Amino acid sequence: MTASIDHIAVDVLPGGPTLPQERRLVTAIPGPRSEELLARKAAAVPTGIGHTAPIHAVAAGGGVVVDADGNSLIDLGSGIAVTTVGNAHPKVVEAVQRQVASFTHTCFMVSPYESYVAVAEALNRLTPGDHEKKTALFNSGAEAVENAIKIARKHTGRQAVVAFDHGYHGRTNLTMALTAKTMPYKHGFGPFAPEVYRAPLSYPFRDGGLSGADAARRAITMMEKQIGGDQVAAIIIEPIQGEGGFIVPADGFLPALAEWCRANGVVFIADEVQTGFGRTGRMFASEHFGIVPDLITTAKGIAAGLPLAAVTGRAEIMDASHPGGLGGTYGGNPIACAAALAAIDAYETEDLPARATAIGSVITDRFTEAQRSDARIGDVRGLGAMVAVEFVDPATGEPDAALTAAVAKASIAQGVIVLTCGTFGNVIRFLPPLSLGDDLLNEALDIVTAALAAA
Ligand SMILES: *Cc1c(COP(=O)(O)O)cnc(C)c1O
């Protein structure tokens, strides 16, 4: 079907959960129609905007993405942990349709509306800790992170912010400064925001199994000796690092940092943009580690694909800003809020965190089993449906980015969308939608393990 808006023609197909949940290849990937779009993309869109799957998506539903050539790909990436409830979830579609027909925008700072407040109430209720909380809404993960830092600085009257090795917090100027990896996120894009410091992480696979307590002591020593505890406004950390390689810190690391923050009047910010909303088997990953962050940033899974992000935290910190100090034209757009309320309803009523745990054990079991006879699999790790496989050269233990890229490429060519990550580019990460059934999940894992065997 082609919908025409004057001279602009765009492909639209009915998607949603009625799409057959199947892997179906009818052409090579990319097929001719996808090739056509990729040529137009190359001419019209800057090279800086990359893509993982060389396809021209025309529909998606549940756990599949359909391209213009009629191929149906199994989605193990959820558009980077966004369509966690499943693509075009019926509750989300209905809520969005109802809202878009009612009003599209007023600007919450001009004429407030209920859905924004309801999203804030839901996040205040769902995030860790039973203290009084408040929530402000924004458009992207990076914008939420920027605002969390603004709030922490205003509250403490201090400037220094500490981020961690392998951390990823976004692509705006301040969040580039917070992000560890230069290529592709920072290279040539400086100068970066000042008063950002980097502390060492706990990375059990690569730090010789340093205990969580020792790794925390190392980071705390760095902060005390290089910055001074009374100079630090906030530390920001992903409870499990996303882009950095799904690094799960050793037990005790995060609680020791949180304790140090409490003792020094430092705001502890958990960046749960990737780990949030049931992904790890709990509503928020912080819960696994027994930490209660002062502020928590969320985005990705929050609204099932509509652009929305949030900062939620202790009321007295959130209220540090003077009136008018926070906000933005689109932040908490009513259509995105409607989608978020529907998605949050799905997380809660469809028991999706439990499904994340079940999906995660299927993936983990497959690769732990494969690891027994394949020394290229250095590490299998993660929590819930956030699982990573780190590939190494068996002879040297060095990261093997080439193998990782080859496995991802071959999997996509066979109709399974997988993503890579990691500071060394040697990690395949699995972020399937939690609506994905076991049949499709196993079929997708068969493809990935076959691609690995053949690589
Ligand atoms: C993706 C991500 C961000 C940035 O979110 P955007 O919506 O892309 O700006 C920030 N922090 C973490 C942990 C992320 O995974």
Side-chain angles (χ1 to χ4, degrees), residues 138-148 168-172 174-176 178 271 273 299 309:
F138 304 97
N139 302 292
S140 69
E143 202 188 349
V145 168
E146 293 250 358
N147 278 279
Y168 179 85
H169 300 286
R171 295 174 180 270
T172 57
L174 175 56
T175 59
M176 277 194 294
L178 295 168
D271 183 352
V273 167

Side-chain angles (χ1 to χ4, degrees), residues 295-360:
L295 301 181
I296 173 166
T297 53
T298 54
K300 295 197 165 99
I302 191 172
L306 279 285
L308 189 69
V311 182
T312 301
R314 293 185 188 281
E316 69 275 18
I317 300 178
M318 293 297 294
D319 276 335
S321 171
H322 46 277
L326 305 174
T329 306
Y330 295 115
N333 167 272
I335 302 167
C337 286
L341 293 172
I344 290 168
D345 177 74
Y347 289 122
E348 292 199 277
T349 61
E350 296 171 17
D351 204 12
L352 293 179
R355 180 65 193 145
T357 304
I359 286 175

